[in-house]
Amino acid sequence: MNSRHDMHTHSLASDGVYEPAELVRHAAQAGITELALSDHDTTAGIVEADATACQTGIRLIPAVEVSTSWQSKAIHIVGLNIDIDSPVLQAGLRELQNIRDARAREMGARLTKHGFPDSYSAAMALAGAGMITRTHFARHLCNIGVAGSISEVFERYLRQGKPGYVSTQWAEIGDAIAWIKAAGGVATLAHPHRYKLTASWLRRLLTDFKQAGGQAMEIVSGNTPPQDIQSAATLARKFELLASTGSDFHAPEHTWVKLGRLPALPADLVPVWSCWRA
Ligand code: AMP
Ligand code: MN
Ligand code: MN
Ligand code: MN
Protein backbone atom coordinates (compact mmCIF):
# COMPACT_ATOMS: atom_id res chain seq x y z
CA MET A 1 0.00 0.00 0.00
CA ASN A 2 1.25 3.48 -0.77
CA SER A 3 2.27 5.59 2.17
CA ARG A 4 -0.17 8.32 3.05
CA HIS A 5 2.55 10.28 4.80
CA ASP A 6 4.72 12.84 3.10
CA MET A 7 7.29 14.27 5.50
CA HIS A 8 9.24 16.54 3.14
CA THR A 9 7.73 19.20 0.84
CA HIS A 10 8.32 22.81 -0.25
CA SER A 11 6.12 25.81 -0.93
CA LEU A 12 6.61 29.38 -2.16
CA ALA A 13 7.96 30.17 1.32
CA SER A 14 11.21 28.77 -0.15
CA ASP A 15 11.77 27.13 -3.56
CA GLY A 16 8.46 25.33 -4.12
CA VAL A 17 5.99 26.73 -6.66
CA TYR A 18 2.68 26.37 -4.79
CA GLU A 19 1.37 28.67 -2.10
CA PRO A 20 1.28 26.72 1.20
CA ALA A 21 -2.53 26.47 0.99
CA GLU A 22 -2.37 25.21 -2.62
CA LEU A 23 0.21 22.60 -1.66
CA VAL A 24 -2.05 21.28 1.08
CA ARG A 25 -5.02 21.09 -1.31
CA HIS A 26 -2.92 19.15 -3.85
CA ALA A 27 -1.74 16.81 -1.10
CA ALA A 28 -5.33 16.21 -0.01
CA GLN A 29 -6.32 15.37 -3.59
CA ALA A 30 -3.38 12.94 -3.76
CA GLY A 31 -4.74 11.10 -0.71
CA ILE A 32 -2.11 12.22 1.78
CA THR A 33 -3.35 12.27 5.36
CA GLU A 34 -0.23 13.65 7.11
CA LEU A 35 1.88 16.28 5.40
CA ALA A 36 5.03 18.02 6.58
CA LEU A 37 5.79 21.39 5.03
CA SER A 38 9.59 21.65 5.28
CA ASP A 39 10.79 24.79 3.53
CA HIS A 40 14.48 25.66 3.43
CA ASP A 41 15.48 27.48 6.65
CA THR A 42 12.06 29.06 7.19
CA THR A 43 8.75 28.28 8.83
CA ALA A 44 6.96 31.20 7.16
CA GLY A 45 4.48 28.96 5.30
CA ILE A 46 3.34 26.86 8.25
CA VAL A 47 0.48 28.98 9.61
CA GLU A 48 -1.20 29.24 6.19
CA ALA A 49 -0.67 25.53 5.48
CA ASP A 50 -2.11 24.55 8.84
CA ALA A 51 -5.22 26.66 8.34
CA THR A 52 -5.95 24.89 5.03
CA ALA A 53 -5.04 21.50 6.50
CA CYS A 54 -7.72 21.97 9.15
CA GLN A 55 -10.30 22.61 6.41
CA THR A 56 -9.26 19.60 4.29
CA GLY A 57 -8.84 17.08 7.13
CA ILE A 58 -5.09 16.69 6.57
CA ARG A 59 -2.80 16.68 9.57
CA LEU A 60 -0.11 19.29 8.97
CA ILE A 61 3.22 18.52 10.59
CA PRO A 62 5.14 21.77 11.11
CA ALA A 63 8.66 21.28 9.76
CA VAL A 64 11.76 22.97 8.38
CA GLU A 65 14.69 21.76 6.25
CA VAL A 66 17.81 23.15 7.92
CA SER A 67 20.97 23.76 5.88
CA THR A 68 24.11 22.45 7.59
CA SER A 69 27.74 21.95 6.65
CA TRP A 70 29.62 18.78 7.39
CA GLN A 71 33.09 18.04 5.99
CA SER A 72 32.60 20.94 3.52
CA LYS A 73 29.40 19.39 2.20
CA ALA A 74 25.90 20.84 2.45
CA ILE A 75 23.82 18.37 4.45
CA HIS A 76 20.09 18.90 5.03
CA ILE A 77 18.37 18.06 8.30
CA VAL A 78 14.57 18.15 8.43
CA GLY A 79 13.12 19.13 11.78
CA LEU A 80 9.74 17.40 12.00
CA ASN A 81 6.85 18.31 14.30
CA ILE A 82 8.51 21.48 15.57
CA ASP A 83 7.06 24.30 17.62
CA ILE A 84 7.50 27.18 15.19
CA ASP A 85 7.33 29.66 18.07
CA SER A 86 10.53 28.32 19.62
CA PRO A 87 12.87 31.34 20.11
CA VAL A 88 15.95 29.08 19.92
CA LEU A 89 14.89 27.61 16.58
CA GLN A 90 13.91 30.97 15.12
CA ALA A 91 17.20 32.57 16.20
CA GLY A 92 19.07 29.76 14.44
CA LEU A 93 16.97 30.12 11.29
CA ARG A 94 17.62 33.89 11.26
CA GLU A 95 21.36 33.17 11.13
CA LEU A 96 20.79 30.95 8.10
CA GLN A 97 18.55 33.54 6.46
CA ASN A 98 21.37 36.09 6.78
CA ILE A 99 23.83 33.60 5.31
CA ARG A 100 21.42 33.01 2.41
CA ASP A 101 21.10 36.75 1.72
CA ALA A 102 24.89 37.24 1.69
CA ARG A 103 25.44 34.15 -0.47
CA ALA A 104 22.81 35.31 -2.98
CA ARG A 105 24.60 38.67 -3.39
CA GLU A 106 27.88 36.88 -3.96
CA MET A 107 26.27 34.49 -6.45
CA GLY A 108 24.87 37.50 -8.28
CA ALA A 109 28.33 39.11 -8.40
CA ARG A 110 29.91 35.94 -9.78
CA LEU A 111 27.21 35.41 -12.38
CA THR A 112 27.54 39.07 -13.45
CA LYS A 113 31.27 38.48 -14.02
CA HIS A 114 30.36 35.41 -15.99
CA GLY A 115 28.17 37.43 -18.36
CA PHE A 116 24.77 37.20 -16.66
CA PRO A 117 24.15 40.65 -15.15
CA ASP A 118 21.19 41.38 -12.89
CA SER A 119 20.91 37.73 -11.82
CA TYR A 120 20.69 38.78 -8.17
CA SER A 121 17.73 41.12 -8.63
CA ALA A 122 16.01 38.68 -10.99
CA ALA A 123 16.42 35.75 -8.58
CA MET A 124 15.22 37.89 -5.67
CA ALA A 125 12.17 38.91 -7.70
CA LEU A 126 11.39 35.23 -8.39
CA ALA A 127 11.80 34.41 -4.70
CA GLY A 128 9.39 37.21 -3.74
CA ALA A 129 8.68 37.00 -0.03
CA GLY A 130 10.16 33.48 0.11
CA MET A 131 13.62 32.33 1.15
CA ILE A 132 16.19 32.84 -1.62
CA THR A 133 17.78 29.62 -2.91
CA ARG A 134 19.91 28.44 -5.81
CA THR A 135 16.68 27.19 -7.41
CA HIS A 136 15.60 30.81 -7.97
CA PHE A 137 18.88 31.57 -9.75
CA ALA A 138 18.40 28.41 -11.79
CA ARG A 139 14.87 29.43 -12.80
CA HIS A 140 16.09 32.87 -13.84
CA LEU A 141 18.95 31.46 -15.94
CA CYS A 142 16.50 29.02 -17.51
CA ASN A 143 14.06 31.85 -18.26
CA ILE A 144 16.73 33.82 -20.15
CA GLY A 145 17.55 30.74 -22.21
CA VAL A 146 20.98 29.94 -20.78
CA ALA A 147 20.10 26.24 -20.63
CA GLY A 148 17.18 24.02 -21.47
CA SER A 149 16.36 22.76 -18.01
CA ILE A 150 16.84 23.53 -14.33
CA SER A 151 19.09 20.51 -13.85
CA GLU A 152 21.24 21.59 -16.81
CA VAL A 153 21.65 25.05 -15.22
CA PHE A 154 22.75 23.41 -11.97
CA GLU A 155 25.13 21.16 -13.85
CA ARG A 156 26.74 23.99 -15.84
CA TYR A 157 26.62 26.97 -13.47
CA LEU A 158 25.44 26.30 -9.93
CA ARG A 159 26.86 23.08 -8.56
CA GLN A 160 30.11 22.90 -6.62
CA GLY A 161 33.06 23.96 -8.77
CA LYS A 162 30.92 25.84 -11.30
CA PRO A 163 31.04 29.63 -11.91
CA GLY A 164 27.98 30.60 -9.86
CA TYR A 165 28.76 28.34 -6.91
CA VAL A 166 29.63 30.04 -3.63
CA SER A 167 31.13 27.84 -0.96
CA THR A 168 29.06 28.46 2.16
CA GLN A 169 29.44 27.68 5.85
CA TRP A 170 25.94 26.70 6.98
CA ALA A 171 25.00 25.63 10.54
CA GLU A 172 26.97 22.95 12.35
CA ILE A 173 25.08 19.65 12.48
CA GLY A 174 25.09 19.74 16.30
CA ASP A 175 23.65 23.27 16.38
CA ALA A 176 20.89 22.45 13.89
CA ILE A 177 19.89 19.37 15.89
CA ALA A 178 19.93 21.39 19.12
CA TRP A 179 17.62 24.03 17.57
CA ILE A 180 15.22 21.34 16.34
CA LYS A 181 15.19 19.64 19.74
CA ALA A 182 14.69 22.97 21.53
CA ALA A 183 11.56 23.28 19.38
CA GLY A 184 10.40 19.81 20.45
CA GLY A 185 11.03 18.37 16.97
CA VAL A 186 12.57 15.22 15.55
CA ALA A 187 15.87 15.75 13.70
CA THR A 188 15.75 13.75 10.47
CA LEU A 189 18.62 13.36 8.00
CA ALA A 190 17.26 14.29 4.57
CA HIS A 191 17.88 12.34 1.33
CA PRO A 192 21.01 10.42 2.45
CA HIS A 193 21.78 9.21 -1.07
CA ARG A 194 21.86 12.66 -2.62
CA TYR A 195 25.19 13.68 -1.07
CA LYS A 196 27.21 11.38 -3.32
CA LEU A 197 29.12 10.00 -0.33
CA THR A 198 30.86 6.66 -0.42
CA ALA A 199 29.43 3.99 1.90
CA SER A 200 32.12 4.64 4.50
CA TRP A 201 31.64 8.44 4.42
CA LEU A 202 27.89 7.97 4.75
CA ARG A 203 28.49 5.83 7.83
CA ARG A 204 30.75 8.57 9.21
CA LEU A 205 28.03 11.14 8.61
CA LEU A 206 25.47 8.95 10.38
CA THR A 207 27.86 8.37 13.28
CA ASP A 208 28.27 12.14 13.77
CA PHE A 209 24.53 12.76 13.20
CA LYS A 210 23.58 10.14 15.79
CA GLN A 211 26.18 11.39 18.29
CA ALA A 212 24.84 14.93 17.92
CA GLY A 213 21.36 13.68 18.84
CA GLY A 214 19.84 12.98 15.41
CA GLN A 215 16.84 10.66 15.70
CA ALA A 216 15.60 9.74 12.22
CA MET A 217 16.58 9.47 8.56
CA GLU A 218 14.71 9.51 5.28
CA ILE A 219 14.47 6.01 3.88
CA VAL A 220 12.21 6.94 1.00
CA SER A 221 13.08 10.25 -0.64
CA GLY A 222 11.44 11.22 -3.90
CA ASN A 223 11.89 8.44 -6.42
CA THR A 224 14.57 6.58 -4.47
CA PRO A 225 15.36 3.35 -6.37
CA PRO A 226 14.54 0.12 -4.47
CA GLN A 227 18.23 -0.68 -3.82
CA ASP A 228 18.72 2.72 -2.15
CA ILE A 229 15.65 2.13 0.03
CA GLN A 230 17.19 -1.18 1.11
CA SER A 231 20.62 0.30 1.85
CA ALA A 232 19.11 3.23 3.76
CA ALA A 233 17.01 0.76 5.75
CA THR A 234 20.14 -1.21 6.64
CA LEU A 235 21.72 2.00 7.95
CA ALA A 236 18.61 2.95 9.93
CA ARG A 237 18.72 -0.47 11.65
CA LYS A 238 22.46 -0.18 12.34
CA PHE A 239 22.22 3.34 13.75
CA GLU A 240 18.83 2.75 15.43
CA LEU A 241 17.14 5.64 13.67
CA LEU A 242 13.44 6.18 13.05
CA ALA A 243 12.36 5.99 9.42
CA SER A 244 10.92 8.87 7.42
CA THR A 245 9.45 9.15 3.96
CA GLY A 246 9.13 12.31 1.90
CA SER A 247 8.69 13.35 -1.72
CA ASP A 248 10.85 16.53 -1.53
CA PHE A 249 8.11 17.94 -3.73
CA HIS A 250 8.88 21.37 -5.23
CA ALA A 251 6.84 21.67 -8.43
CA PRO A 252 4.59 19.43 -10.49
CA GLU A 253 6.78 19.63 -13.61
CA HIS A 254 10.22 19.24 -12.03
CA THR A 255 9.50 16.92 -9.20
CA TRP A 256 11.03 13.49 -8.94
CA VAL A 257 7.78 12.08 -7.66
CA LYS A 258 4.15 13.06 -7.60
CA LEU A 259 2.70 14.01 -4.25
CA GLY A 260 1.27 10.90 -2.62
CA ARG A 261 3.06 8.33 -4.81
CA LEU A 262 5.68 7.11 -2.38
CA PRO A 263 6.66 3.50 -1.82
CA ALA A 264 5.99 1.97 1.60
CA LEU A 265 8.68 1.80 4.27
CA PRO A 266 10.18 -1.62 5.06
CA ALA A 267 7.81 -3.13 7.61
CA ASP A 268 10.33 -3.66 10.44
CA LEU A 269 11.38 0.01 10.65
CA VAL A 270 9.74 2.35 13.15
CA PRO A 271 8.11 5.24 11.26
CA VAL A 272 9.02 8.68 12.52
CA TRP A 273 5.33 9.60 12.80
CA SER A 274 4.92 7.02 15.59
CA CYS A 275 6.60 9.72 17.77
CA TRP A 276 3.59 11.97 17.68
CA ARG A 277 0.89 9.43 16.93
CA ALA A 278 0.87 8.33 20.56
P1 AMP B 1 20.38 25.87 -1.86
O1 AMP B 1 19.92 25.30 -0.54
O2 AMP B 1 20.01 27.32 -2.01
O3 AMP B 1 21.80 25.60 -2.16
O4 AMP B 1 19.51 25.15 -2.97
C1 AMP B 1 19.37 23.78 -2.93
C2 AMP B 1 18.15 23.40 -3.73
O5 AMP B 1 18.47 23.43 -5.11
C3 AMP B 1 17.70 21.98 -3.46
O6 AMP B 1 16.82 21.95 -2.37
C4 AMP B 1 16.98 21.62 -4.74
O7 AMP B 1 15.66 22.12 -4.68
C5 AMP B 1 17.73 22.42 -5.79
N1 AMP B 1 18.70 21.61 -6.54
C6 AMP B 1 19.94 21.28 -6.17
N2 AMP B 1 20.55 20.56 -7.14
C7 AMP B 1 19.65 20.44 -8.14
C8 AMP B 1 19.67 19.81 -9.43
N3 AMP B 1 20.75 19.18 -9.89
N4 AMP B 1 18.55 19.90 -10.18
C9 AMP B 1 17.47 20.56 -9.73
N5 AMP B 1 17.39 21.16 -8.55
C10 AMP B 1 18.47 21.11 -7.75
MN1 MN C 1 14.86 22.87 -2.68
MN1 MN D 1 17.37 19.02 0.56
MN1 MN E 1 13.91 19.59 0.32
Side-chain angles (χ1 to χ4, degrees):
M1 194 186 91
N2 285 341
S3 171
R4 302 174 81 194
H5 295 78
D6 190 337
M7 295 291 113
H8 187 152
T9 63
H10 296 274
S11 74
L12 275 173
S14 66
D15 58 353
V17 299
Y18 288 145
E19 299 278 4
E22 270 183 296
L23 176 81
V24 171
R25 281 193 290 270
H26 281 279
Q29 276 164 14
I32 291 168
T33 52
E34 268 189 46
L35 177 76
L37 174 60
S38 55
D39 277 305
H40 296 285
D41 305 318
T42 179
T43 59
I46 299 291
V47 169
E48 179 186 317
D50 194 43
T52 305
C54 289
Q55 293 162 10
T56 56
I58 278 192
R59 179 165 182 181
L60 195 277
I61 306 299
V64 62
E65 183 172 16
V66 183
S67 307
T68 77
S69 293
W70 179 82
Q71 303 284 342
S72 307
K73 278 212 165 251
I75 302 292
H76 289 173
I77 299 179
V78 178
L80 289 172
N81 205 33
I82 48 169
D83 170 9
I84 61 169
D85 294 323
S86 160
V88 172
L89 175 66
Q90 291 301 342
L93 296 181
R94 269 195 303 278
E95 284 178 31
L96 291 171
Q97 288 156 15
N98 292 335
I99 291 170
R100 281 191 173 277
D101 285 342
R103 179 185 70 150
R105 287 176 199 280
E106 179 61 23
M107 284 181 73
R110 295 201 188 180
L111 289 168
T112 295
K113 272 192 199 151
H114 204 73
F116 307 125
D118 306 320
S119 296
Y120 172 75
S121 51
M124 290 300 279
L126 289 174
M131 186 63 59
I132 184 75
T133 71
R134 276 187 297 163
T135 307
H136 299 104
F137 282 89
R139 288 188 189 134
H140 162 63
L141 293 173
C142 227
N143 289 346
I144 62 171
V146 158
S149 70
I150 297 284
S151 46
E152 195 188 335
V153 177
F154 269 93
E155 189 53 40
R156 286 170 56 188
Y157 301 103
L158 300 181
R159 71 171 175 81
Q160 195 160 11
K162 297 297 172 176
Y165 183 80
V166 175
S167 165
T168 305
Q169 182 62 45
W170 303 104
E172 297 290 335
I173 283 187
D175 290 341
I177 293 172
W179 303 339
I180 290 165
K181 287 190 155 180
V186 183
T188 305
L189 182 71
H191 41 66
H193 290 296
R194 219 176 300 152
Y195 307 120
K196 300 194 171 79
L197 296 171
T198 61
S200 63
W201 276 103
L202 186 51
R203 282 196 300 274
R204 257 174 253 181
L205 169 61
L206 282 162
T207 302
D208 289 356
F209 175 74
K210 177 84 181 181
Q211 256 169 15
Q215 296 144 288
M217 68 185 281
E218 288 180 355
I219 305 298
V220 173
S221 169
N223 62 355
T224 320
Q227 67 270 26
D228 284 359
I229 295 180
Q230 289 315 319
S231 69
T234 302
L235 290 166
R237 290 180 195 112
K238 176 177 162 66
F239 288 91
E240 297 182 332
L241 291 166
L242 299 165
S244 189
T245 181
S247 61
D248 206 0
F249 179 89
H250 286 74
E253 67 274 28
H254 299 132
T255 197
W256 298 274
V257 70
K258 294 248 180 279
L259 274 170
R261 299 280 170 79
L262 294 164
L265 288 171
D268 64 305
L269 298 182
V270 182
V272 68
W273 46 87
S274 66
C275 284
W276 52 84
R277 190 171 276 169

